[in-house]
Amino acid sequence: MMHIFCPYCGELREEEEFHAKGQAHIERPQEPEACSDTEWGDYLFFRNNPRGIHHELWIHAVGCRKYFNITRHTVTYEILETYRMGELPGITAETLAAEQLAQSAASAASSTTQQTGDARP
């Protein structure tokens, strides 16, 4: 069972209190009347289904009944962050990849320093 942190209640609660509502941060067309049927259909029915970082819209149905967003890893089901509506995610696929690249570079530099005994950067 997952436990989810509600950013409005400020509490970690059981998954059963929440409902997933799909992909977050979907922009509604500015002028729906000007959209073609294909563009409107894409907006209504087609969503991203990434392997990795995904931003989702959830509601705390049994608690405060407020909508909020979750950044979740779709492979591990790990919830990386929750944040209020209107806020931007702190973790994206790009920031996570850059962070992992920096960690691997630091690890490689550390192992090179240990092998040579040279402490210079």
Side-chain angles (χ1 to χ4, degrees):
M1 170 168 299
M2 289 194 312
H3 287 86
I4 299 172
F5 179 80
C6 176
Y8 293 101
C9 297
E11 297 176 4
L12 195 63
R13 308 297 294 262
E14 293 183 1
E15 176 187 3
E16 294 172 348
E17 292 189 10
F18 300 88
H19 292 289
K21 293 295 184 180
Q23 182 180 347
H25 307 293
I26 299 171
E27 289 188 35
R28 182 181 173 93
Q30 294 292 326
E31 297 180 32
E33 301 83 18
C35 288
S36 68
D37 289 343
T38 303
E39 292 170 334
W40 188 248
D42 287 347
Y43 166 71
L44 289 178
F45 302 112
F46 292 101
R47 300 292 180 254
N48 294 333
N49 188 18
R51 180 180 171 89
I53 302 298
H54 191 240
H55 304 286
E56 300 171 337
L57 179 66
W58 284 67
I59 183 169
H60 193 179
V62 179
C64 62
R65 297 184 179 186
K66 291 185 178 176
Y67 285 89
F68 62 97
N69 295 313
I70 287 179
T71 301
R72 185 175 65 87
H73 197 286
T74 59
V75 176
T76 63
Y77 291 103
E78 180 182 9
I79 295 174
L80 302 172
E81 66 179 341
T82 60
Y83 50 99
R84 295 178 180 211
M85 297 298 296
E87 296 178 351
L88 294 175
I91 300 171
T92 63
E94 293 79 21
T95 60
L96 195 61
E99 183 178 303
Q100 289 173 346
L101 186 64
Q103 286 177 351
S104 64
S107 176
S110 175
S111 67
T112 303
T113 302
Q114 290 175 353
Q115 290 176 356
T116 61
D118 189 6
R120 290 181 288 174

